[in-house]
Structures are given as C-alpha cells and as structure tokens.
Amino acid sequence: MINTKPNTYSKFIFSLVILLGLYGCSKKESFTFEKQNFAVDQWVDCNTVDCASLEVNLLKVVVDSQISENINAEIEKVACAVLNIGENDPGGSMKEAIQQFNTSYQEISTEFPDEIVPYEANIDCELGFQCESLISVVMDSYIFTGGAHGYGSISYININPKTGKRIPNKELFKNYTEFEAYAERVFRSTYEILESESINSTGFFFEDEKFALPENIGLTDNEVILYYNPYEISAYAQGPVELKLNKEEVVSFFAVKIE
C-alpha cells in the first residue's frame, strides 16, 4: 500500500522511463511511460514572490498516438481534481491547476500574512497493473492548505488500453450489485460485523447504514483493492480503510480480463 502521508520528493526534475510488462496477459500490447515532473516555478518566478510548495510526478505515455494522448489526459484530469481546492474547475490542464493552487495560496497569504502556513501539494503515480484489457494506475497525493493537518489520499485510475479512456467502476463488473454483495460479506468477516448487525455497528459511517463499494477500486498482480480514503466511511484519525481481495477468487465478477 502506498503511504498517504506526505512524501519527500527529489527537488531535481527527472525522467524515469518505465517499460510496462503485461502481467499474466497475452503479450500483444505494451506502453512505455516516463515520469513527468511539474512544479510551480515552471510558470512562476518563485525567486521574487512567495510560492506554494508543490511537486507533481505523473506517468505519461511517450509514444505519440491518440490512445496515448487519451491515457495521459485521464491521468492529468485526476491530478487536476486533486489540486482543485477552490470553486474554479481547472479542467485537464496541469499548468492551470498548478497556477490556480499557487494563486489561492498567494491570495490567502496576502490577506493573513502572519497566520498562513505555506500550502503544500505532493502527487506521485505508479503502475499498479497492466494487461491487454486494463491499465490500473495508482495516484498517491497529499494536500495541505492550512488547518490542523493535511489530507492524504489514494486515487485508482482504471483505463481501457484500446481506447485510452477511463473505465467507470460499474463497467468493470458483469454485475456490480453481485460484486458489491460479495465484498460486503468479506468486509463484515474482516471487521467482525455480524450479518444481523448494522454495517456501522463498529464505528463505520456508511451512508444510510448501507454497505457501498469505495470510489477507488484498484488492481495489482494478485489482488483487487477496495480503498476507502479518510472521511469516506471513517474518521480521519482512523486513517484509510483498505480491503484486499484475492484476484483468483473474484475474477469471475469482472467484465474485463484481469489475469
């Protein structure tokens, strides 16, 4: 599991080329990614003005094609949403998202110069899993915009490698409701919640006392991961809730190949 606490990234801009193998799938397709770095000082002279502390490292397909552009756009879109702390939608542009994040910090620091602590944003990507039917990217982020603590979260981005478009969670499964019922049985067993008891009886706060799958569902070579970020079903102090399912035991639920 990737740590959701703030990470210390290198201050040097680097490119890390990763050849992505096909884990257990037919070896017909392969994508070459590089780690692309974004920082505030690419667009703002931070020697003359106070800037937020920000570093973003995203996976980017280096081969020029429409599918590659789609994959890169889907990854950037999620990173932009993480940085979007105001009412303005930065769209899919990292430049706009970073500039808006930095501008928000500068505006608040101008208004409260003696009180504000510099905003911080760290985002990093890794490949969770890939086969000819699915690419699963995991994005680890930490955002601090004042207050008692920052917020660390994990985002899983599941992409169709034939189109480069993101696959909605419900389209991952043959029958979403059946998989949800299976996951609830595993969840109750893991956290020792009897079927006769409310799903919230041990301190969780699922909406309407009803179990629900998380927003983030990811894959590794051997597991399907159900990841609830802080506040999703539990208090911040309890941290994220992660349920790992053996891939062999749930493969039949999936509408796409995951082996």
Side-chain angles (χ1 to χ4, degrees), residues 31 61-72 161 163-164:
F31 290 95
V61 183
V62 298
V63 177
D64 187 16
S65 70
Q66 185 59 57
I67 292 177
S68 299
E69 289 182 12
N70 292 344
I71 293 172
N72 296 338
T163 64

Side-chain angles (χ1 to χ4, degrees), residues 5-75:
K5 294 181 180 179
N7 298 315
T8 302
Y9 297 110
S10 169
K11 293 185 179 180
F12 297 100
I13 296 176
F14 64 94
S15 292
L16 177 62
V17 177
I18 307 171
L19 292 178
L20 304 179
L22 299 178
Y23 304 94
C25 292
S26 175
K27 296 185 178 181
K28 295 180 180 179
E29 299 182 26
S30 180
F31 290 95
T32 300
F33 284 69
E34 68 178 7
K35 222 48 167 318
Q36 185 177 21
N37 176 277
F38 299 90
V40 177
D41 58 12
Q42 290 177 240
W43 299 289
V44 180
D45 184 359
C46 295
N47 292 318
T48 59
V49 296
D50 191 19
C51 292
S53 173
L54 182 148
E55 186 160 358
V56 177
N57 297 292
L58 302 184
L59 289 179
K60 176 183 178 181
V61 183
V62 298
V63 177
D64 187 16
S65 70
Q66 185 59 57
I67 292 177
S68 299
E69 289 182 12
N70 292 344
I71 293 172
N72 296 338
E74 293 290 356
I75 295 172

Side-chain angles (χ1 to χ4, degrees), residues 197-211:
E197 296 177 333
S198 164
I199 192 68
N200 292 337
S201 61
T202 61
F204 294 110
F205 42 79
F206 285 94
E207 187 174 356
D208 299 326
E209 303 272 338
K210 183 179 179 182
F211 177 84

Side-chain angles (χ1 to χ4, degrees), residues 17-178:
V17 177
I18 307 171
L19 292 178
L20 304 179
L22 299 178
Y23 304 94
C25 292
S26 175
K27 296 185 178 181
K28 295 180 180 179
E29 299 182 26
S30 180
F31 290 95
T32 300
F33 284 69
E34 68 178 7
K35 222 48 167 318
Q36 185 177 21
N37 176 277
F38 299 90
V40 177
D41 58 12
Q42 290 177 240
W43 299 289
V44 180
D45 184 359
C46 295
N47 292 318
T48 59
V49 296
D50 191 19
C51 292
S53 173
L54 182 148
E55 186 160 358
V56 177
N57 297 292
L58 302 184
L59 289 179
K60 176 183 178 181
V61 183
V62 298
V63 177
D64 187 16
S65 70
Q66 185 59 57
I67 292 177
S68 299
E69 289 182 12
N70 292 344
I71 293 172
N72 296 338
E74 293 290 356
I75 295 172
E76 282 200 16
K77 189 184 301 182
V78 175
C80 288
V82 170
L83 290 175
N84 183 20
I85 59 173
E87 297 180 356
N88 296 324
D89 182 2
S93 166
M94 283 306 306
K95 177 180 179 180
E96 292 177 356
I98 288 172
Q99 287 179 326
Q100 285 186 20
F101 184 87
N102 189 60
T103 298
S104 294
Y105 164 64
Q106 291 178 329
E107 289 175 349
I108 197 72
S109 63
T110 298
E111 187 174 356
F112 304 101
D114 298 325
E115 300 177 23
I116 191 68
V117 177
Y119 283 10
E120 180 182 352
N122 289 320
I123 300 176
D124 194 27
C125 280
E126 292 181 9
L127 176 71
F129 173 77
Q130 182 189 195
C131 73
E132 66 175 354
S133 302
L134 181 71
I135 297 171
S136 188
V137 173
V138 56
M139 183 177 293
D140 181 6
S141 62
Y142 175 81
I143 303 292
F144 176 80
T145 56
H149 53 73
Y151 181 73
S153 64
I154 293 289
S155 302
Y156 281 100
I157 310 163
N158 297 311
I159 297 171
N160 183 340
K162 300 184 186 304
T163 64
K165 295 294 186 178
R166 190 170 185 178
I167 305 173
N169 283 349
K170 289 193 174 182
E171 293 182 12
L172 289 172
F173 305 100
K174 297 173 184 175
N175 188 312
Y176 186 83
T177 302
E178 288 183 2

